[in-house]
Amino acid sequence: MEHLTQIPSDALAQLRDAVGEQAVSTDAGQIRELSKDSSVRSKKAEAADRPLAAAQVVFTPRSTEQVSAVLSWASTHGVPVVARGLGSGVVGSGLPVRGGVLLDLAELTEVGEVDVVNRTVTVGAGINLGDLDTQLREQGLSVGHYPQSLYLASVGGCVAMRGSGTFSSLYGNIEDRVGELEIVLPTGVVVQTRSLPRASTGPDLRQLGIGSEGMFGVITKVTLKLVPVPAAQRFAAVRYAGFEGALETVRRALIAGVRPAVVRIYDPTEASAKHARFAQDAGWLLVLVFDGDERLIATQEEIMLDLATSLGGESLGPEPAVHWEQRRFNWSWFTDAVDHEGGIAEAIEVTATWSELPGLYERLKKAVSPHMQEFMAHVSHVYDQGAALYTIVRGEYADDAAALAAYDATWEAVMAETLACGARISHHHGIGLERARWMTEELGSGLDLLRDLQKTVDPAGIMNPGKLGL
Ligand SMILES: Cc1cc2nc3c(=O)[nH]c(=O)nc-3n(C[C@H](O)[C@H](O)[C@H](O)COP(=O)(O)OP(=O)(O)OC[C@H]3O[C@@H](n4cnc5c(N)ncnc54)[C@H](O)[C@@H]3O)c2cc1C
């Protein structure tokens, strides 16, 4: 741990005076539990009993006012503060690497009245996204944001990481579902955005929180734009001999105005690994789920399947897509590999244009092969201009040290090839510690601008120092 900041005892006493003795915990077990995340590196460090980071104290606020009091105290004393949602982040962005205060937001779970007419609800940022969705469904509404970590992530964490859900081609990503934010700046000042239903009032201040990775303040409340629970769902799947046919089907379907909620294109390795009935040499698998009015989605499915057939696809009926839907929260491919000595796995997601995608897939596959025994990939989220490519790598080594060396080499290879193709280095997992060193190449002078912004918003440099490549 570099530059670990010890909180002076008189400053700690002042904090306790401000927020109450009981609210500030120095319990070693709690600190250890909350100072980790779900990244591979953090998991391996835990297994070796050498945690990557440790906060000095944990503070669990119950109100915006308490968050403001702690941040203003921290700014005065130069104490690092890291906000924590539910710890499902996978790139080390929530690790308190410089010690200080861990702000455990798990008690900020208030759910405001659901505005059924305007389809909004305002919630505490610490609420579990899946629990919120379950509550909303009783009123025929839903969050519209369904990451694989639906039941592992907080609403605020999804916003801070600029997350993406699996049904994103219809409902958008988290930035499309955020109506308003309440953000407490590192100085303690509270900012409430005013954006709904749309506003032309200068730069959009919601962007201070979206993708901030907890560096520009603490998101305390989120107003979500809700979606109706779909009246109907249709499932479809198509087999292709090659990647290009599947990509072209989706590209043209989007041009035609077809909007499936889920679009996944699995390479032959992943298709056979995830779908037992799909033989290894069976080709590429396109999985589709349509949400909405039955007549509307029946027509969309028909147009898409016509396109698929004209581009060499073979319709497989709904079964592979139903199978996908039933297993979409299963991540045993990851835990089975990482949770033992010498085993390693990672998912690295990048974004490329339609024209870059086939070449990028081949380059990544080739670049990873010297380092990892397994490589598979799928297109996970699609846009008018391109798509996210989600690569999965796995390997078995003599011990964790060898596994982590292969892991580092894999990251290096994937990032280098992605940048060489002109593609984007992350689609939804974010930067944190894992991608930090590629941010200069990725953002260029934009990174200097972010640095200046950080200095303005956080003059004492207390918020989650050392992340996002800043
Ligand atoms: C099995 C699994 C599947 C996953 N699938 C997906 C997926 O499909 N899509 C996806 O986008 N991600 C996915 N993730 C990654 C992870 O769930 C997301 O990054 C999620 O948004 C993190 O939310 P969290 O509440 O757990 O945040 P944490 O891990 O607690 O924190 C993550 C970062 O956000 C900051 N932060 C958290 N809350 C706040 C707040 N209120 N204000 C300011 N900063 C804050 C923290 O400081 C930290 O930098 C997956 C992770 C796992 C383990």
Side-chain angles (χ1 to χ4, degrees), residues 108-192:
L108 295 184
T109 55
E110 197 187 344
V111 179
E113 199 175 325
V114 178
D115 182 339
V116 177
V117 174
N118 301 306
R119 281 199 271 128
T120 60
V121 68
T122 299
V123 300
I127 193 167
N128 178 298
L129 181 67
D131 291 351
L132 174 65
D133 193 56
T134 306
Q135 279 185 47
L136 292 169
R137 279 176 188 261
E138 287 167 14
Q139 296 183 62
L141 293 167
S142 168
V143 291
H145 184 68
Y146 317 105
Q148 199 193 15
S149 52
L150 181 67
Y151 297 98
L152 306 173
S154 68
V155 170
C158 293
V159 176
M161 295 309 292
R162 196 180 280 280
S164 186
T166 37
F167 287 60
S168 65
S169 32
L170 183 61
Y171 303 118
N173 294 305
I174 194 68
E175 61 269 27
D176 304 301
R177 305 263 50 92
V178 172
E180 308 288 6
L181 292 179
E182 179 186 83
I183 308 174
V184 185
L185 301 180
T187 50
V189 170
V190 181
V191 173
Q192 172 64 57

Side-chain angles (χ1 to χ4, degrees), residues 191-365:
V191 173
Q192 172 64 57
T193 67
R194 286 172 55 77
S195 312
L196 277 175
R198 184 182 188 268
S200 173
T201 46
D204 185 345
L205 294 177
R206 289 173 298 182
Q207 302 303 330
L208 203 58
I210 300 172
S212 62
E213 302 199 6
M215 296 197 67
F216 298 105
V218 177
I219 302 159
T220 39
K221 286 186 188 151
V222 182
T223 301
L224 287 167
K225 300 190 254 182
L226 305 176
V227 303
V229 172
Q233 268 191 326
R234 291 182 84 89
F235 298 85
V238 184
R239 189 188 75 81
Y240 293 84
F243 195 13
E244 282 80 356
L247 285 176
E248 190 57 8
T249 300
V250 177
R251 196 184 71 83
R252 289 204 210 167
L254 294 179
I255 291 171
V258 175
R259 290 277 155 190
V262 176
V263 177
R264 323 270 289 184
I265 304 172
Y266 291 96
D267 78 353
T269 310
E270 194 172 355
S272 58
K274 296 256 171 82
H275 302 269
R277 271 172 264 169
F278 209 80
Q280 171 64 43
D281 57 357
W284 293 69
L285 175 65
L286 169 63
V287 165
L288 301 166
V289 182
F290 296 88
D291 270 13
D293 175 83
E294 174 58 35
R295 284 170 306 167
L296 200 61
I297 61 176
T299 305
Q300 294 200 36
E301 185 187 19
E302 192 186 328
I303 295 171
M304 191 131 190
L305 292 181
D306 281 353
L307 261 173
T309 313
S310 73
L311 289 161
E314 174 201 347
S315 175
L316 301 175
E319 195 281 328
V322 172
H323 178 87
W324 170 84
E325 204 274 337
Q326 286 166 350
R327 294 179 56 81
R328 70 192 161 110
F329 296 124
N330 183 321
W331 62 311
S332 56
W333 64 265
F334 176 84
T335 46
D336 287 353
V338 171
D339 288 353
H340 65 269
E341 178 76 19
I344 201 98
E346 182 61 297
I348 307 180
E349 25 59 64
V350 298
T351 318
T353 60
W354 292 113
S355 24
E356 287 162 352
L357 276 164
L360 180 63
Y361 170 79
E362 291 301 336
R363 285 174 77 144
L364 294 186
K365 191 174 176 178

